[in-house]
Amino acid sequence: MEPTEHKWDVQFRKGTLEMVILALLGHEAQFGLQLLHSLHQFETMKITEGTLYPLLDRLKREGVIESYWLQEGESRPRKYYRLSAAGQDKLDGLQNRWLRSVKDINKLFKQCELKDKRK
């Protein structure tokens, strides 16, 4: 991977990570490491705990996610995160903007492709 590709990947991940985390938590409540494993299923969303936990803390302070402790069996309690009502509103807005952006970018690609074929 060239350095410019790596920079692009980092910027892309930064720009989409919050939306992706909200989407995952909108699907089901998850504890931190579970969320990290969910993200690692996707090549472009591989992050470290050092990136995840500060982001979760910020989202909690903003009121878009909530946390609670749950003890399952004999294991130690785990801190679970879930989407709040405000978080669902934010996710809906982010998804709408994402879909509009993808549609616009695809339209732009198509226009550029047509222009290239005419040359």
Side-chain angles (χ1 to χ4, degrees):
M1 181 183 301
E2 293 183 30
T4 54
E5 289 175 353
H6 176 69
K7 287 179 184 177
W8 170 252
D9 286 343
V10 170
Q11 291 303 313
F12 184 80
R13 187 170 35 252
K14 280 183 184 179
T16 57
L17 187 57
E18 183 175 325
M19 178 177 57
V20 169
I21 287 174
L22 293 178
L24 287 169
L25 295 178
H27 175 67
E28 68 176 336
Q30 296 187 40
F31 58 92
L33 286 177
Q34 181 183 19
L35 189 55
L36 198 61
H37 290 295
S38 295
L39 289 167
H40 283 191
Q41 292 177 43
F42 307 97
E43 184 63 34
T44 60
M45 291 295 135
K46 291 186 177 181
I47 60 170
T48 65
E49 290 178 51
T51 299
L52 177 63
Y53 288 105
L55 179 55
L56 291 173
D57 287 340
R58 180 177 61 79
L59 294 173
K60 189 175 172 193
R61 282 192 312 274
E62 291 175 2
V64 294
I65 65 171
E66 304 165 337
S67 66
Y68 60 94
W69 290 92
L70 183 63
Q71 175 138 11
E72 298 169 319
E74 296 295 318
S75 65
R76 64 185 186 144
R78 290 181 171 149
K79 188 175 190 178
Y80 278 79
Y81 299 90
R82 67 178 165 220
L83 207 55
S84 67
Q88 185 61 58
D89 290 342
K90 183 169 186 172
L91 176 58
D92 291 344
L94 289 171
Q95 285 178 320
N96 286 334
R97 277 183 275 176
W98 173 262
L99 293 172
R100 278 195 315 263
S101 294
V102 168
K103 183 179 176 184
D104 288 347
I105 291 168
N106 283 333
K107 184 177 179 180
L108 181 135
F109 284 160
K110 217 170 228 181
Q111 288 174 353
C112 291
E113 192 176 282
L114 290 174
K115 287 178 185 175
D116 287 343
K117 287 182 180 180
R118 290 184 207 149
K119 289 181 179 180

